Amino acid sequence: MMTIKRVGILGAGKVGIVLAGLALDAGYEVRISGSGSVKKIDLIIKTLVPGAIASENSEVVANSDIIILAIPLSRYKNIDAALLKDKLVIDATNYWWETDGIREEVLAPDSTSSEQVQAYFKDSTLVKAFNYMGYHNLQEETHPKGDPKRKALFVTGDDRTAVDQVAAFVDTMGFDQVIHYDIADGIMTEPGSPLFGASLNYKDLKRVIDHFDQTEFGQKVAASKIK
């Protein structure tokens, strides 16, 4: 299993900034890029996450062992797919109408957002994580392993080795993990699902995930998987 020492974050919004801070606290070298020039975001990064390195997308990717995609979903195709070739990528995106606009203009109706992001970055390995818990909760509710107050995150993807790698990374960031091995299951945590915005411990998250198919939303998801 690859040793992760350097974390790259594409997206210097609220989630990207929070994850950069958590990664720094966990002892990783962190690079982060934003939608503007390095000069434009450098002061923000130095102020909000001192120690992180503001860089262009290409420099972030070239100097990182793992990449976190923390941009509005509607902008993922603004990134050259070839840039992330052979990279392990954490998809922290969701469709959100306030930032992404009309869903049909962003996503095809026949698969989940992460499946479509994975299809675009076809030469990368995608794992869904960090996408549904509010950024305030991500920032404020990290705890050491074994702490009864520790929260859990859902981690899923098609590549078992990659999912296990990301789960281990999530552990170092201060969260337990509920693990699945199906990228399409990422929809369980997207807007409209019972988990979106939730901040739960392992037991409660596992219970909600296990009972997901009994909810109205879960039944709709199951129906959508029938070809």
Side-chain angles (χ1 to χ4, degrees):
M1 186 176 288
M2 174 182 64
T3 299
I4 297 172
K5 296 182 178 179
R6 307 171 300 166
V7 176
I9 301 174
L10 302 182
K14 293 172 181 176
V15 172
I17 292 291
V18 167
L19 293 178
L22 295 182
L24 284 170
D25 290 343
Y28 296 103
E29 179 181 302
V30 179
R31 285 177 172 78
I32 185 169
S33 63
S35 57
S37 66
V38 173
K39 185 177 180 180
K40 180 179 178 181
I41 69 166
D42 187 51
L43 180 59
I44 296 173
I45 299 305
K46 285 180 178 177
T47 302
L48 298 179
V49 276
I53 304 167
S55 306
E56 299 285 357
N57 284 353
S58 58
E59 294 176 355
V60 169
V61 174
N63 293 284
S64 299
D65 302 312
I66 191 169
I67 304 296
I68 301 176
L69 198 62
I71 59 176
L73 177 63
S74 55
R75 299 179 189 169
Y76 74 90
K77 289 186 178 179
N78 292 351
I79 299 171
D80 182 359
L83 183 65
L84 299 183
K85 183 179 179 181
D86 299 327
K87 286 291 185 176
L88 174 55
V89 180
I90 296 177
D91 180 15
T93 69
N94 295 298
Y95 166 76
W96 189 244
W97 67 272
E98 290 184 346
T99 55
D100 296 320
I102 300 171
R103 184 182 181 91
E104 290 75 16
E105 294 180 358
V106 179
L107 294 170
D110 58 350
S111 63
T112 66
S113 66
S114 284
E115 288 177 285
Q116 292 175 53
V117 176
Q118 173 68 92
Y120 177 73
F121 295 110
K122 61 183 179 61
D123 295 318
S124 309
T125 304
L126 205 76
V127 177
K128 188 84 165 179
F130 295 116
N131 64 295
Y132 67 91
M133 188 184 290
Y135 67 92
H136 281 303
N137 296 114
L138 285 171
Q139 186 173 41
E140 298 167 2
E141 297 189 6
T142 60
H143 295 282
K145 193 169 186 175
D147 190 315
K149 296 180 181 179
R150 202 180 208 217
K151 304 298 184 180
L153 291 174
F154 186 55
V155 181
T156 190
D158 290 335
D159 186 303
R160 298 180 73 91
T161 300
V163 171
D164 292 344
Q165 180 99 59
V166 170
F169 174 71
V170 168
D171 185 52
T172 67
M173 295 279 273
F175 300 94
D176 289 334
Q177 320 91 48
V178 172
I179 299 170
H180 277 207
Y181 297 104
D182 185 347
I183 193 70
D185 286 349
I187 199 169
M188 294 184 186
T189 60
E190 300 217 347
S193 77
L195 286 176
F196 187 73
S199 178
L200 304 173
N201 62 27
Y202 176 86
K203 181 179 179 180
D204 290 339
L205 178 59
K206 185 74 163 57
R207 175 179 53 80
V208 173
I209 290 290
D210 289 345
H211 288 83
F212 180 84
D213 60 351
Q214 299 175 18
T215 67
E216 181 180 355
F217 188 82
Q219 291 169 5
K220 289 180 181 178
V221 171
S224 72
K225 290 186 177 183
I226 299 174
K227 303 300 183 182

